[in-house]
């Protein structure tokens, strides 16, 4: 593994364990086994660019997998089924979380916390693509069931649940050695239930 990849993995793990503000670039370099404590600064410049690089390193695979699932949903005419769209949204993120050594979901949860619990901050780091497309489809389905402000707030809450729920799946996968399919289904049920619950 090259130096840049080692730094990315070390940063993802340290950010996940200690938070965004709890880790310095020097600590990341040391954790990656670099004698040069300025290695992270040399390769990424600053913490914001390093965070963006972590997203870039993970998102291509996640985005491709989600696009495949969305194509399958469209082929089977499930792209207008809200539960199926929730599965398309959650499954690629959960599959990544279950990969050996992954701290990505917990890293995203820490960044979400750092950003003030707002998903609007995440797209600047690259959290777009197929996820944005699926959220758009969910928004259209919800608009037929809920008033606009309710639908928007439910989507925001679902984003929070997806982040924290997948971080939990990742921690569980680390203990058990793989993705717990039943827990993923429960998370998808919770997402769909949150979105479709009657509004008062």
């Amino acid at each position: 593994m090259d130096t840049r990849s080692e730094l990315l993995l070390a940063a993802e793990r340290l950010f996940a364990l200690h938070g965004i503000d709890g880790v310095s670039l020097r600590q990341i370099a040391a954790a990656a086994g670099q004698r040069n404590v300025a290695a992270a600064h040399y390769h990424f410049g600053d913490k914001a660019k390093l965070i963006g690089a972590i997203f870039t390193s993970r998102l291509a695979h996640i985005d491709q997998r989600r696009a495949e699932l969305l194509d399958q949903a469209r082929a089977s005419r499930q792209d207008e089924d809200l539960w199926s769209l929730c599965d398309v949204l959650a499954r690629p993120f959960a599959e990544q979380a279950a990969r050996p050594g992954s701290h990505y979901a917990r890293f995203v949860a820490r960044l979400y916390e750092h950003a003030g619990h707002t998903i609007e901050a995440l797209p600047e780091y690259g959290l777009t693509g197929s996820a944005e497309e699926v959220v758009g489809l969910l928004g259209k389905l919800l608009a037929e069931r809920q008033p606009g402000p309710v639908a928007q707030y439910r989507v925001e809450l679902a984003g929070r649940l997806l982040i924290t729920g997948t971080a939990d799946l990742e921690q569980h996968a680390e203990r058990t050695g793989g993705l717990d399919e039943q827990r993923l289904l429960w998370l998808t049920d919770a997402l769909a239930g949150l979105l479709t619950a009657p509004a008062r």
Side-chain angles (χ1 to χ4, degrees):
M1 185 181 300
D2 61 25
T3 299
R4 193 174 188 277
S5 298
E6 290 176 345
L7 288 166
L8 286 173
L9 289 176
E12 180 183 277
R13 178 173 58 82
L14 290 179
F15 285 144
L17 296 176
H18 304 296
I20 305 301
D21 292 327
V23 181
S24 69
L25 294 181
R26 291 171 67 92
Q27 289 172 317
I28 291 167
Q34 299 301 308
R35 293 182 180 179
N36 179 3
V37 294
H41 184 272
Y42 172 79
H43 282 275
F44 302 102
D46 58 31
K47 191 180 286 188
K49 290 178 182 175
L50 173 57
I51 289 170
I54 294 172
F55 274 117
T56 300
S57 71
R58 297 294 194 189
L59 278 177
H61 176 77
I62 295 172
D63 193 61
Q64 180 181 357
R65 173 67 172 142
R66 187 176 287 116
E68 290 171 358
L69 291 174
L70 183 56
D71 286 344
Q72 292 172 17
R74 284 174 168 146
S76 60
R77 298 186 177 179
Q78 294 295 306
D79 57 322
E80 294 186 3
D81 176 73
L82 193 139
W83 191 97
S84 296
L85 287 175
C86 287
D87 182 67
V88 169
L89 188 63
R91 183 170 294 277
F93 194 15
E95 289 174 348
Q96 165 58 49
R99 298 178 84 173
S102 177
H103 288 80
Y104 181 67
R106 285 168 287 180
F107 155 74
V108 173
R110 287 286 199 170
L111 183 62
Y112 175 66
E113 177 184 330
H114 175 75
H117 297 92
T118 172
I119 59 176
E120 284 80 7
L122 297 182
E124 74 176 80
Y125 295 108
L127 197 62
T128 55
S130 60
E132 194 173 43
E133 186 175 3
V134 176
V135 169
L137 292 172
L138 284 169
K140 288 180 182 178
L141 290 180
L142 284 178
E144 300 170 0
R145 308 180 184 199
Q146 309 278 13
V150 175
Q152 181 178 353
Y153 183 55
R154 294 284 181 86
V155 169
E156 291 174 6
L157 288 177
R160 298 180 188 185
L161 176 59
L162 176 61
I163 291 168
T164 56
T166 309
D168 178 71
L169 284 175
E170 185 175 76
Q171 191 164 340
H172 185 77
E174 187 175 55
R175 293 195 304 267
T176 62
L179 177 63
D180 187 324
E181 181 69 24
Q182 185 61 66
R183 282 179 178 243
L184 173 56
L185 293 177
W186 289 338
L187 174 58
T188 306
D189 288 342
L191 290 168
L194 187 160
L195 291 171
T196 58
R200 291 183 181 272

